[in-house]
Amino acid sequence: MPYELIKDRMVFRENVAKDTMQLLLEGDIIVPDIRPDMAVVLKTDADIYTEKTELSTDRISFTGRMDIKVLYLCKGDTKTVHSMSTVHKIDDFMNLEGVNKDMWAELDADIINIDFKMLNDRKLSYKAVVEITVDVEGKCEKDIVKTIPGIPENQLKKNALDVNRTVDNAEERFIIKEELNLPTGKPNIKEVLQSGVHITNKDLRVGNGRASINGDVSVYVIYKGEDDSALIEFFEAEVPFNGAIELPAAREDQIGDLSLNTEGHFITVKENSDGEDRTFDVEIPVRARIRTSRQSEAEVLSDAFIVNKNVGLVKENLTYPQLICKNKNQCSVKEIVEIDDKCPDILQVFRVNGNVHVDSTKVIDDKVIVEGVIDTNVLYIAKDDDTPVYNYSSVLPFKQVVETKGAAPDMQVKIDKNIDHVGFNMLSDREVELRFLISFNTAVSCQKTADLVTDVNIEDIPAEILDAMPSIIIYVVQKGDTLWNIARKYNVSLDELAEINEIENKNLIFPGQKLLILKRV
């Protein structure tokens, strides 16, 4: 009789390539002609953005930019604060064996270190080390044999395969727009000196054919007021956002991974209803990258035998990642920072910000240990006529233990970190208490290898071989034997072998036991 195979098309994730490279970005910033000469550089900020990634055969190309912003105190008897900026374009590539245009790539850029040097009162040089991390994933589709109808079920061996199947990958861009009004007591806006945005508290939910995204954007603006009563003014606000991206295959039982990155921001000053410059018009382009997957257990064929038939199994060795644990938690970092003796005393703290750098991750049983630092900046009004505004930088170490059930030392870990909240408390004119709340999205996976049956060839055993088999065999069970393996070896039905030997539990035989094996005619 013909045997029809029942197969299941399975999509496996493949970790194709992962690599890291460092770029050295350097250049000069020239004070614009309309700006006065520099006396003291107060504050420097740099943000890096990836704009486009393109995969081709054994190669990934990427473009981006580093935006640099500088606040400085001008020369002269009248101390005023001014700003300038520059953009350093990035256009580079990495050679990655095995990648192609149909794969999915995640590219992250991080500023590891940046130094500034004032060359003269009109020129500032910068030198930055940027780390580029690339993770490329592919899909492998295989038709795997589940079962063979018509064969006694107990003559089929099956394995449970726990697979994290990729359902969908999507990338969308959207714009967050908001009008922000100055609170009462703040002077009208004369000039925006510096601004920045930061996404916090991001969340993703998938289901019903869509991915729902929400979170907050922290916006800060340093500006000059119209009344000139202060050198600089500071404004900050939290902007909530939400939206949805259509994903036809999205279901509630799926796992969603979300990457949200701003691609810069645009802040313009506009008049309010009273005709006063008290409103910031904010536009923030955001790139969302979403991957949905489903953890499922599939029962697949691993072995089979048929009486009087040769069963040839065509197997393929596949390696695929298996998600072990995914967890989100937060780490609170609090420390009292005392400014150096060479720095002026603090009159008022304007703003505190920081960047998280993970230096090491260590996987132990059921835990991941994360260690790193927060590069912090404290911008404050100083008790010093020569340097009335000052920025103090420091480094805060942190260590966090993330509970990850099922994790083991030989597994891989991926961590998405973010600063969700920053707080501070001025304790004295030399000390500030800094508080950071860091969120960690941690995923632990391992590489699994399986020999999977992709096809089965069934042929009759030649008559001369059947004729040569003994009619009766007394077999003595050896250590490691199973009734299934004995039945297969001697070409007899498993049920008949158990019945003849009065074995009720087919899984229970023991070394030294004698079995009667009769050749089936």
Side-chain angles (χ1 to χ4, degrees):
M1 61 173 289
Y3 294 93
E4 293 185 4
L5 306 179
I6 294 181
K7 297 184 177 182
D8 182 16
R9 169 147 289 199
M10 303 182 71
V11 181
F12 298 90
R13 290 168 49 195
E14 288 185 307
N15 295 328
V16 178
K18 187 171 184 177
D19 204 357
T20 299
M21 69 179 293
Q22 288 190 340
L23 302 177
L24 179 63
L25 309 181
E26 53 186 337
D28 297 327
I29 308 173
I30 308 297
V31 178
D33 293 339
I34 60 172
R35 301 291 188 194
D37 293 346
M38 293 184 291
V40 178
V41 174
L42 299 175
K43 186 176 186 292
T44 55
D45 270 347
D47 297 306
I48 193 158
Y49 306 99
T50 56
E51 295 169 340
K52 182 181 178 183
T53 58
E54 185 174 326
L55 287 168
S56 56
T57 303
D58 296 332
R59 178 184 175 116
I60 181 170
S61 304
F62 56 91
T63 60
R65 71 182 195 275
M66 182 172 66
D67 293 353
I68 303 173
K69 298 165 286 188
V70 179
L71 281 183
Y72 70 91
L73 202 64
C74 75
K75 280 186 173 181
D77 296 333
T78 305
K79 301 291 186 182
T80 56
V81 177
H82 295 270
S83 64
M84 59 181 181
S85 62
T86 191
V87 175
H88 190 120
K89 290 289 187 179
I90 300 170
D91 189 350
D92 215 319
F93 68 92
M94 294 174 67
N95 291 319
L96 294 172
E97 186 177 351
V99 308
N100 62 58
K101 63 182 181 63
D102 297 322
M103 293 178 177
W104 175 261
E106 292 186 7
L107 187 144
D108 292 318
D110 194 16
I111 300 173
I112 301 300
N113 184 60
I114 186 166
D115 292 319
F116 294 88
K117 185 178 181 181
M118 188 171 163
L119 302 178
N120 55 53
D121 54 15
R122 304 294 296 178
K123 183 187 288 189
L124 187 71
S125 70
Y126 64 88
K127 185 178 292 187
V129 177
V130 174
E131 187 171 83
I132 306 292
T133 302
V134 177
D135 197 346
V136 182
E137 180 183 289
K139 287 184 181 180
C140 174
E141 297 186 17
K142 293 291 180 182
D143 290 324
I144 307 301
V145 178
K146 293 184 66 177
T147 190
I148 310 174
I151 301 177
E153 192 67 25
N154 59 15
Q155 290 178 197
L156 301 173
K157 272 190 177 179
K158 296 179 181 179
N159 284 339
L161 196 65
D162 194 10
V163 181
N164 183 243
R165 306 192 193 193
T166 296
V167 178
D168 208 350
N169 290 324
E171 180 175 317
E172 293 285 345
R173 284 173 167 82
F174 60 91
I175 296 178
I176 300 171
K177 294 184 178 182
E178 189 74 16
E179 287 187 357
L180 301 175
N181 296 306
L182 287 177
T184 303
K186 287 283 187 182
N188 292 351
I189 307 159
K190 180 179 180 180
E191 178 188 353
V192 173
L193 295 171
Q194 196 175 93
S195 59
V197 298
H198 178 64
I199 293 176
T200 64
N201 305 316
K202 62 182 179 181
D203 186 52
L204 171 70
R205 297 183 185 276
V206 296
N208 300 321
R210 61 181 358 197
S212 299
I213 301 170
N214 60 71
D216 300 305
V217 177
S218 176
V219 181
Y220 82 88
V221 183
I222 298 173
Y223 72 98
K224 286 183 182 180
E226 279 188 346
D227 58 9
D228 289 331
S229 61
L231 280 173
I232 57 175
E233 296 288 342
F234 180 71
F235 169 80
E236 65 178 338
E238 291 285 332
V239 178
F241 67 89
N242 60 73
I245 295 174
E246 296 300 319
L247 290 175
R251 300 292 179 268
E252 291 183 357
D253 63 341
Q254 294 170 8
I255 301 167
D257 292 310
L258 172 66
S259 172
L260 281 183
N261 298 103
T262 62
E263 297 188 324
H265 65 279
F266 305 94
I267 294 182
T268 55
V269 179
K270 60 187 295 186
E271 294 179 348
N272 63 8
S273 57
D274 297 326
E276 298 179 312
D277 289 337
R278 297 188 61 79
T279 300
F280 295 108
D281 196 13
V282 181
E283 286 194 11
I284 307 166
V286 179
R287 180 176 63 174
R289 291 169 63 85
I290 299 169
R291 180 176 63 192
T292 57
S293 59
R294 178 168 53 90
Q295 198 77 14
S296 62
E297 189 174 275
E299 192 176 58
V300 296
L301 184 71
S302 63
D303 206 348
F305 76 91
I306 307 171
V307 176
N308 296 339
K309 303 285 184 181
N310 280 324
V311 180
L313 303 178
V314 179
K315 293 187 176 183
E316 190 166 340
N317 184 270
L318 292 175
T319 300
Y320 58 93
Q322 183 184 49
L323 181 66
I324 301 300
C325 179
K326 191 173 182 182
N327 193 11
K328 180 178 181 179
N329 71 339
Q330 292 181 316
C331 167
S332 178
V333 179
K334 182 171 71 171
E335 189 163 324
I336 295 174
V337 173
E338 183 178 359
I339 62 175
D340 294 341
D341 293 339
K342 62 181 180 181
C343 302
D345 289 347
I346 303 170
L347 180 63
Q348 178 189 351
V349 176
F350 256 164
R351 179 175 185 259
V352 173
N353 70 301
N355 291 310
V356 182
H357 300 286
V358 173
D359 294 329
S360 69
T361 56
K362 183 180 180 181
V363 185
I364 60 176
D365 291 340
D366 297 326
K367 292 180 178 62
V368 174
I369 301 173
V370 186
E371 293 189 68
V373 297
I374 306 173
D375 291 334
T376 69
N377 290 286
V378 180
L379 181 66
Y380 65 91
I381 298 296
K383 297 178 180 179
D384 190 318
D385 293 336
D386 292 329
T387 312
V389 182
Y390 199 82
N391 184 73
Y392 181 73
S393 300
S394 62
V395 176
L396 306 185
F398 69 85
K399 180 178 180 179
Q400 176 71 357
V401 178
V402 182
E403 298 292 331
T404 49
K405 187 177 180 180
D410 59 341
M411 294 180 179
Q412 296 81 44
V413 61
K414 182 178 180 181
I415 295 179
D416 178 22
K417 79 279 185 193
N418 195 59
I419 293 179
D420 283 345
H421 178 74
V422 179
F424 63 88
N425 185 27
M426 182 176 163
L427 303 178
S428 71
D429 56 10
R430 307 297 297 174
E431 290 183 327
V432 181
E433 181 188 65
L434 305 183
R435 301 184 301 276
F436 293 89
L437 187 63
I438 312 172
S439 63
F440 296 98
N441 281 316
T442 307
V444 178
S445 61
C446 68
Q447 290 295 107
K448 301 287 285 187
T449 301
D451 287 322
L452 300 177
V453 179
T454 57
D455 205 356
V456 181
N457 298 318
I458 301 174
E459 298 176 345
D460 291 334
I461 297 177
E464 58 271 21
I465 295 179
L466 289 175
D467 292 341
M469 291 181 178
S471 298
I472 300 176
I473 297 174
I474 302 297
Y475 180 79
V476 180
V477 176
Q478 305 297 308
K479 185 178 180 181
D481 278 343
T482 66
L483 201 63
W484 196 93
N485 289 338
I486 296 169
R488 178 185 186 183
K489 180 179 179 181
Y490 290 100
N491 189 40
V492 294
S493 162
L494 184 65
D495 288 335
E496 290 179 5
L497 181 61
E499 183 181 352
I500 290 171
N501 291 277
E502 299 180 348
I503 297 174
E504 293 183 4
N505 186 346
K506 298 183 181 67
N507 296 318
L508 185 61
I509 59 175
F510 51 88
Q513 182 178 357
K514 294 180 180 179
L515 300 179
L516 175 63
I517 302 174
L518 301 179
K519 183 171 100 171
R520 181 178 178 184
V521 179

